[in-house]
Amino acid sequence: MSVTAAQGFTAAGIAAGLKENGNPDLALVVNNGPRLAAAGVFTSNRVKAAPVVWSEQVLKGGTVSAVVLNSGGANACTGPLGFQDTHATAEKAAEALGHNAGEVAVASTGLIGLRLPMDKLLPGIDRAAAELTEHGGEKAAIAIKTTDSVHKTAVVTREGWTVGGMAKGAGMLAPGLATMLVVLTTDAEVPAAGLDAALRAATRTTFDRVDSDGCMSTNDTVLLLASGASGVVPDTAAFAEAVRTVCDDLARQLIGDAEGASKDIRIEVVGAASEDDAVEVGRSIARNNLLKCAIHGEDPNWGRVLSAIGTTSAVFEPDQLNVAINDIWVCKNGSVGEDRELVDMRYREVRITADLAAGTESAVIWANDLTADYVHENSAYSS
């Protein structure tokens, strides 16, 4: 499983001492080739962490030989010295591996506004490099966890080639991308431009449609690396679908591990005049805190769904809206529908369907309920 499922990759995960609790906090993923093609997508937040700024520059070249990832500190809002720390991280990895620092991506996650303890991180890179193995994917996935309760991996194997990946993320899950670090790997022969096209198409309908709490991070990074070690040039559509499948799997794992959540909410908007309308309505429903509280209390309060729809610019007529909760159409034509007492909300997954009756387009957004545990975890996060 994970980033070493594909041929040509090694990884490691260690405890470098960045976390006070002594848990693993530093991961290294290395592409051993023969190809070093890469693509990446990053947070759309205008406040970007130093490793995002660095890695965006690295990805312009379409070549990545290694990725250094740390938990225990975001290295965001740390000024010029924070960027120097990221540069030093890449330089250290390049030295340890015999690579070019300009081909080493860096990703960080943790608390914003604190510099990383470089006296621990840099020696940790040497240790991680010494522990690299083709079986190290799981340890790497564990090392990038923050408030995650479980590590997250996924793999898809096709005829002669593989796409694998790891992710972290459990809070601040919102579009563009979601608070996440993701590394995907493949041994297929795909150039950087092909990787970029497949990755952007995949993230648009997976990670970009996870909206746990409406909060956007400064550190979101999703990388796709290709070693070409299988020697197989895949069909373009088949490769894109494999990447999308891995991203979709990881996105569902992210939403299933969201901080404090007791319900996973699948919001499907149908009958929209455009896909953009469907996505806008889905996001509005996903971010309605009154609805999220109602879902937590297992209350099928469809009025809050209509209220959320009404705040959007989507095309619809209020007296033609229909809403189903767990397949019970509690609202029909903008008014009372089937008996809300028929809605069974005992289980983890809650399905909301919003029919705009304005067209043929649709979209799915995933969200969570709002709980006291979520408030507690985030009020105590920096302590």
Side-chain angles (χ1 to χ4, degrees), residues 57-269:
Q57 295 174 359
V58 170
L59 265 296
K60 289 180 179 178
T63 300
V64 170
S65 62
V67 186
V68 183
L69 308 97
N70 75 271
S71 52
N75 195 10
C77 307
T78 48
L81 293 178
F83 186 81
Q84 290 178 24
D85 290 341
T86 293
H87 191 173
T89 298
E91 292 279 3
K92 183 62 175 179
E95 176 188 334
L97 298 169
H99 292 186
N100 180 345
E103 297 177 352
V104 176
V106 180
S108 301
T109 182
L111 191 64
I112 292 171
L114 296 176
R115 288 185 63 193
L116 295 170
M118 299 301 289
D119 60 328
K120 297 177 180 178
L121 191 153
L122 296 181
I125 293 174
D126 281 328
R127 288 175 46 214
E131 295 186 20
L132 286 167
T133 169
E134 62 184 14
H135 304 295
E138 185 173 14
K139 288 185 176 181
I142 292 170
I144 61 175
K145 292 167 54 182
T146 50
T147 58
D148 306 62
S149 65
V150 294
H151 60 286
K152 304 164 179 73
T153 64
V155 172
V156 167
T157 298
R158 296 294 185 251
E159 293 185 9
W161 53 275
T162 295
V163 177
M166 67 178 186
K168 68 77 50 184
M172 290 180 74
L173 297 176
L177 292 161
T179 299
M180 59 172 63
L181 301 184
V182 178
V183 178
L184 309 170
T185 58
T186 183
D187 49 20
E189 282 259 18
V190 183
L195 297 177
D196 185 73
L199 184 61
R200 292 184 185 278
T203 55
R204 187 182 71 83
T205 59
T206 58
F207 296 131
D208 267 349
R209 296 192 182 173
V210 169
D211 200 328
S212 177
D213 54 15
C215 298
M216 184 188 297
S217 169
T218 56
N219 289 61
D220 307 331
T221 299
V222 180
L223 302 175
L224 174 57
L225 315 181
S227 68
S230 71
V232 177
V233 179
D235 172 77
T236 299
F239 180 72
E241 178 57 23
V243 173
R244 191 207 64 78
T245 298
V246 172
C247 289
D248 188 56
D249 189 337
L250 292 172
R252 280 291 288 116
Q253 292 182 56
L254 292 173
I255 206 72
D257 192 33
E259 292 171 345
S262 67
K263 303 286 188 185
D264 301 337
I265 310 171
R266 183 184 188 273
I267 302 162
E268 183 174 16
V269 181

Side-chain angles (χ1 to χ4, degrees), residues 111 147 259 372-383:
L111 191 64
T147 58
E259 292 171 345
D373 287 341
Y374 172 85
V375 175
H376 172 73
E377 185 158 343
N378 283 282
S379 64
Y381 181 64
S382 63
S383 60

